[in-house]
Amino acid sequence: MDKTMGKEKYITYSKAIAAISVVLYHTWGSMSINPEVLGKILLFFYTTHVPTFMLISGYLYSKYTVRHELKYRIYKLLNLFLSFIAYIFILSLFRIVLYSIGDSGKSLKEIFVLTAHNMWYFPVLCISIVLLEIIRKLDKGRVVVFLSAILILSFTDIILLYKLPSVGKILVYIMIFLIGTLWSIDRNKAISCISINMVMWLFFVFFFNIVDISSEGSSGLELCFMMLMTVCGASLIPAIVFLVINSSKSKEANINALDRVLSVICKNTQLIYFFQFFIIIIVEFLRDKEIVECSVINCLLYSLLCFSFALIMSNNVSKKSWLSRIFLSPITYHY
């Protein structure tokens, strides 16, 4: 691992674990196991995996990217946006080919809308970066007003969450990104993060059943609780990883055994994000044809294929190749 990442291994490991959680969330979602158990597993993934990415993205962008000139930051933003466009085009084309074989009856518009929905993370991240750049140009008083407005809009049960839950959820993820720009951790903060999450899970999920996985598509007060869990859940994986690493210094050999694996996964999270949907499209096609069923073994196989494809491409694609330009850095910038 390089020296920069070595200073904050918990960030590297948290990002890798979040990537694994994203893949498991999408591949295990249709498994035929106890619905109540599966629902709680998926709820945990939902409230931690992408929120963790958003928190870490805010942290890394604020700590490292903003040190560079504005032109560099604009190129970083354009890379994200163009990757988003490229991913939609490639995955939509792949869907069209398979759907033509399966005769699904979906229109081109429906295919592109479905694929764009799968790639929602990229435009939300782009919006978050633009808002951060605007905030950095404002004085402290305006920043407080600006963040307060986002908080109110994110959780109001009158304006957005009752009427437009998708908009409310987007604002929540933007808020998590902005929280990440102020992120710091120590032992006491890590314990507090874990404790708050445990209390919320006991109260909202286990004792009173206020929130379950169906809350993702709900609105109103139930969705407000879901979003509160999502905001707090963004810090859960980093907090746990931080405590594990710092309480296992005497077992450094055991940590080093995982270091290379987690570091490689962390380095290739963008490719993993793409290939999970590539695999999902194939699985959907095979299920529609009743060729495969969803079982624990099959879902593990789907997950393994996702990571394998991403790592194979990572090891065989030069940074200067056209494939790298499409998947990772459509625009190169030297500084």
Side-chain angles (χ1 to χ4, degrees):
M1 182 185 296
D2 60 70
K3 293 182 179 179
T4 302
M5 297 304 290
K7 294 178 181 178
E8 295 178 332
K9 286 186 178 182
Y10 85 97
I11 291 291
T12 303
Y13 296 166
S14 297
K15 194 175 178 182
I17 292 170
I20 295 170
S21 298
V22 168
V23 174
L24 291 177
Y25 175 78
H26 287 105
T27 57
W28 289 55
S30 55
M31 276 202 322
S32 299
I33 62 174
N34 185 310
E36 184 177 348
V37 174
L38 180 61
K40 286 183 170 56
I41 293 173
L42 294 181
L43 179 62
F44 176 79
F45 285 149
Y46 177 84
T47 55
T48 57
H49 63 345
V50 177
T52 297
F53 267 116
M54 197 62 76
L55 182 81
I56 292 175
S57 294
Y59 172 81
L60 294 176
Y61 185 87
S62 178
K63 186 166 185 178
Y64 298 108
T65 308
V66 295
R67 293 179 180 178
H68 299 290
E69 59 184 279
L70 180 60
K71 189 176 180 180
Y72 170 82
R73 301 199 296 274
I74 291 174
Y75 271 80
K76 293 284 286 185
L77 185 63
L78 286 175
N79 271 323
L80 277 174
F81 180 73
L82 292 177
S83 293
F84 166 67
I85 299 299
Y87 289 179
I88 290 178
F89 177 78
I90 295 169
L91 290 173
S92 294
L93 187 61
F94 185 59
R95 265 198 170 101
I96 290 170
V97 172
L98 282 186
Y99 285 178
S100 64
I101 299 173
D103 191 26
S104 70
K106 289 186 180 293
S107 66
L108 289 177
K109 181 181 178 180
E110 289 174 324
I111 291 173
F112 276 102
V113 168
L114 174 60
T115 308
H117 175 73
N118 293 152
M119 297 290 111
W120 68 269
Y121 176 82
F122 287 93
V124 172
L125 184 57
C126 289
I127 294 170
S128 301
I129 291 172
V130 171
L131 288 177
L132 176 64
E133 293 292 344
I134 293 173
I135 289 174
R136 293 183 66 248
K137 300 297 182 182
L138 302 176
D139 59 47
K140 291 183 179 179
R142 291 178 180 176
V143 168
V144 171
V145 173
F146 191 81
L147 293 179
S148 298
I150 289 180
L151 180 64
I152 293 170
L153 288 173
S154 297
F155 290 107
T156 178
D157 58 356
I158 299 174
I159 300 174
L160 288 174
L161 291 181
Y162 271 98
K163 305 296 182 182
L164 299 169
S166 295
V167 176
K169 286 187 280 189
I170 288 173
L171 288 173
V172 165
Y173 280 108
I174 291 173
M175 188 172 66
I176 291 172
F177 177 90
L178 296 177
I179 291 172
T181 64
L182 306 173
W183 173 257
S184 64
I185 196 168
D186 54 34
R187 186 173 181 276
N188 290 334
K189 289 180 181 178
I191 292 174
S192 297
C193 287
I194 296 170
S195 300
I196 290 171
N197 273 277
M198 288 179 62
V199 170
M200 283 198 303
W201 270 79
L202 289 173
F203 186 82
F204 293 148
V205 179
F206 292 105
F207 289 161
F208 297 99
N209 294 316
I210 297 174
V211 174
D212 55 36
I213 192 59
S214 64
S215 301
E216 180 183 351
S218 65
S219 60
L221 192 60
E222 184 181 357
L223 186 61
C224 286
F225 287 127
M226 179 71 148
M227 293 300 100
L228 178 61
M229 290 182 61
T230 301
V231 171
C232 294
S235 62
L236 181 60
I237 292 176
I240 293 174
V241 172
F242 179 84
L243 286 181
V244 170
I245 290 176
N246 285 277
S247 64
S248 304
K249 292 182 179 179
S250 61
K251 302 177 181 179
E252 190 69 25
N254 294 331
I255 294 178
N256 288 336
L258 292 174
D259 186 273
R260 282 183 294 178
V261 174
L262 294 178
S263 297
V264 169
I265 292 175
C266 174
K267 182 181 177 182
N268 294 285
T269 51
Q270 191 165 321
L271 286 175
I272 291 169
Y273 188 79
F274 169 80
F275 276 109
Q276 69 168 333
F277 291 107
F278 184 82
I279 297 297
I280 286 170
I281 293 171
I282 297 175
V283 172
E284 288 173 351
F285 173 77
L286 295 176
R287 280 211 311 266
D288 289 342
K289 291 290 186 179
E290 298 183 349
I291 297 175
V292 297
E293 296 180 356
C294 262
S295 64
V296 174
I297 295 177
N298 283 339
C299 289
L300 288 174
L301 178 59
Y302 304 153
S303 303
L304 181 61
L305 284 174
C306 172
F307 288 109
S308 298
F309 283 170
L311 297 181
I312 288 171
M313 174 166 280
S314 172
N315 291 330
N316 291 278
V317 174
S318 166
K319 290 184 178 180
K320 297 181 180 180
S321 72
W322 64 272
L323 282 173
S324 179
R325 292 288 180 87
I326 291 175
F327 284 99
L328 299 174
S329 300
I331 297 177
T332 56
Y333 177 70
H334 302 285
Y335 60 95

